Amino acid sequence: MANLLIIGAGGVGRVSSFKAAKNKDTFKNIVLASRTKSKCEKIAKDIKEKLGVEIKTYALDANKKENVVDLIKKENIDIVCNVALPYQNLPIMHACIETSTAYLDTALAETEDNPDTYYDLQWALDEDFKKAHTMALLGCGFDPGVTSIMVKYAADYLLDELEEVEIYDCNFGEHGRAFATNFDPEINLRELNLPGKYWENGEWKTTKPFEVQVKHKYPECGEATSILIWHEELESIVKHFPNLKSAKFYMCFSDKYLYHFNALKNVGMFSIEPIEVCDGVKISPLQFLAKVLPDPQDLVKNYKGQTNIGVIAKGKKDGIDKTFYIYNICDHQKAIEETGAHCVSYTTGVPAIIGCKLIAEKIWWDEGVRNVEEFDALAFFEEMEKQGLPIKVIEVKEKND
């Protein structure tokens, strides 16, 4: 049994804490820490009332390595589940190196002055984790995370030769707000404002933001306009599957969302450059916007509908061209009923705890810095079935078949 520290008390932290509490046979001591302790205490209170499980709470400024080190030592932590802002990944990782503690996150490290970051900052710590005789598991949410595991599953269990990968993510839910983001507004909007990027025929190619749009049919949910964007798992997938001919990521957006997004972008609200708003006080337009947009966790009050996230994997099996669609559908109301958080948080928090569980049980274990697609997919999918995110696999037949 392991002592688990969850850092971050937003929607994903809420789901992770609930799921950890439901796996007390694996996690004997659960600690939840965040800059705002009251958020941790609210989650702990809800878990106690609903599940009868006690979890400890702390106030923690995770931007400072020494703070994380002190808490790890105080609670004798075995695994750190980092679901805080990606700005905090590196100090938390360095704390884990210093204390020889296993580490897991759900998004790659970013810096506040540069949203266009890559895994190199974290991959560079591989030798440090090896010397500490522990491991870091990067990107163990849904996308990144489960989408990469879907690619691994296709390569190991469905196809002899994996040639093309297309990832599709669509939220068919409705929360009743004119415009809102489903997770931290600053992180979300920075990401979407980047140029599109994809892998094709041995090289990276770029597009203007939102330039490439397709109509895509999501199984069991319907058709939606989906836009090619850059998403971090493409980098690690291409690294670990070097023979891929193509790798692309698409996300769907409603016309209403795009209307507000473009209006805000056109008036400069996505700028990360600080401006003086009154004497001696500076803030970037994007940081200001993040403060006035709805808190993503407040969306649970009226959220209905489903999310549909999956991977289309193309390649050869026994010399014959084959296409498979591997996907998950999550229902907002069911997620809220179970944990008090919507599907966007649920589909990130559940995989994070599955990753922690597989690390604790040494089913997924290899010293150094690792991405999820470096491990066996079947063990993870079996846990997803148990933990409320079942995977479906269908073969896509060509129209002339």
Side-chain angles (χ1 to χ4, degrees):
M1 296 177 73
N3 294 329
L4 176 67
L5 169 60
I6 300 169
I7 301 178
V12 180
R14 166 175 281 274
V15 174
S16 299
S17 299
F18 262 87
K19 283 298 183 179
K22 286 190 169 186
N23 286 271
K24 282 290 286 180
D25 55 334
T26 301
F27 307 111
K28 62 181 177 182
N29 179 29
I30 303 167
V31 180
L32 176 61
S34 173
R35 187 188 299 272
T36 308
K37 190 182 179 185
S38 60
K39 291 184 177 180
C40 301
E41 291 171 339
K42 176 65 169 65
I43 293 170
K45 179 175 179 290
D46 291 347
I47 289 173
K48 175 64 176 176
E49 291 177 353
K50 200 160 189 175
L51 303 178
V53 175
E54 298 272 3
I55 69 171
K56 299 177 182 178
T57 62
Y58 287 89
L60 176 69
D61 179 0
N63 288 306
K64 298 179 180 178
K65 180 194 73 172
E66 57 271 22
N67 294 344
V68 183
V69 168
D70 289 345
L71 184 53
I72 288 173
K73 289 180 177 179
K74 180 177 181 179
E75 289 293 338
N76 194 27
I77 296 299
D78 300 301
I79 304 169
V80 172
C81 179
N82 172 21
V83 291
L85 292 177
Y87 307 146
Q88 299 169 331
N89 286 17
L90 293 176
I92 296 173
M93 289 183 80
H94 282 288
C96 288
I97 292 167
E98 184 170 323
T99 56
S100 296
T101 306
Y103 168 89
L104 176 147
D105 65 35
T106 62
L108 67 75
E110 293 185 21
T111 58
E112 293 193 55
D113 61 349
N114 180 23
D116 192 15
T117 54
Y118 299 88
Y119 275 119
D120 56 335
L121 296 172
Q122 293 176 275
W123 284 339
L125 299 177
D126 181 54
E127 284 300 320
D128 294 314
F129 272 88
K130 286 179 179 176
K131 289 176 183 177
H133 300 294
T134 190
M135 72 171 287
L137 186 63
L138 307 183
C140 194
F142 207 104
D143 45 345
V146 176
T147 49
S148 300
I149 300 168
M150 289 172 170
V151 173
K152 174 69 168 176
Y153 182 82
D156 286 354
Y157 295 100
L158 300 177
L159 298 165
D160 299 325
E161 299 174 48
L162 178 64
E163 298 176 338
E164 298 179 33
V165 167
E166 293 179 354
I167 301 170
Y168 287 92
D169 179 333
C170 192
N171 182 4
F172 286 89
E174 178 56 58
H175 46 61
R177 302 293 186 97
F179 184 78
T181 62
N182 290 293
F183 58 94
D184 184 87
E186 185 177 349
I187 300 300
N188 190 195
L189 296 172
R190 277 164 48 117
E191 174 184 279
L192 296 179
N193 202 37
L194 293 172
K197 188 175 179 181
Y198 63 97
W199 179 258
E200 189 171 76
N201 296 326
E203 63 179 349
W204 291 106
K205 298 183 178 181
T206 59
T207 70
K208 296 177 182 178
F210 288 35
E211 179 182 3
V212 179
Q213 302 187 18
V214 300
K215 291 286 187 181
H216 178 70
K217 186 175 181 180
Y218 291 81
E220 304 178 50
C221 290
E223 190 176 78
T225 299
S226 302
I227 298 170
L228 186 148
I229 66 171
W230 164 248
H231 220 250
E232 61 214 65
E233 65 262 49
L234 294 179
E235 181 185 15
S236 66
I237 288 170
V238 169
K239 176 184 177 181
H240 295 116
F241 300 94
N243 295 324
L244 274 176
K245 296 178 181 177
S246 174
K248 300 175 181 178
F249 187 105
Y250 294 89
M251 186 172 286
C252 81
F253 302 91
S254 69
D255 291 340
K256 182 171 69 174
Y257 184 98
L258 292 175
Y259 170 81
H260 287 90
F261 181 93
N262 289 325
L264 291 167
K265 180 179 179 179
N266 289 340
V267 296
M269 290 305 298
F270 294 163
S271 172
I272 63 173
E273 294 298 323
I275 58 174
E276 189 169 6
V277 292
C278 58
D279 290 343
V281 177
K282 289 187 175 183
I283 187 173
S284 75
L286 182 55
Q287 288 174 324
F288 174 80
L289 179 61
K291 295 295 184 182
V292 298
L293 286 175
D295 183 329
Q297 187 56 24
D298 289 344
L299 303 179
V300 300
K301 297 171 184 175
N302 298 300
Y303 229 135
K304 293 179 174 62
Q306 298 172 317
T307 58
N308 185 314
I309 312 173
V311 168
I312 294 178
K314 300 179 181 180
K316 287 184 170 57
K317 180 70 174 178
D318 299 325
I320 300 172
D321 289 336
K322 294 281 187 178
T323 301
F324 292 94
Y325 205 140
I326 312 165
Y327 65 99
N328 164 264
I329 295 174
C330 183
D331 184 273
H332 285 293
Q333 285 295 303
K334 290 181 179 178
I336 293 167
E337 182 180 350
E338 180 186 350
T339 66
H342 54 62
C343 284
V344 179
S345 296
Y346 191 88
T347 55
T348 304
V350 173
I353 292 304
I354 293 174
C356 290
K357 183 176 182 180
L358 295 180
I359 290 172
E361 296 171 352
K362 293 295 192 290
I363 295 172
W364 277 18
W365 183 264
D366 189 19
E367 292 179 1
V369 177
R370 301 286 173 256
N371 291 92
V372 294
E373 63 269 25
E374 296 181 68
F375 297 95
D376 179 51
L378 196 56
F380 201 97
F381 282 179
E382 287 172 351
E383 278 296 327
M384 288 186 69
E385 185 77 29
K386 297 175 186 176
Q387 305 292 344
L389 281 179
I391 295 298
K392 298 184 179 183
V393 181
I394 57 174
E395 184 175 354
V396 179
K397 298 290 186 179
E398 298 297 330
K399 292 181 179 179
N400 57 356
D401 282 1

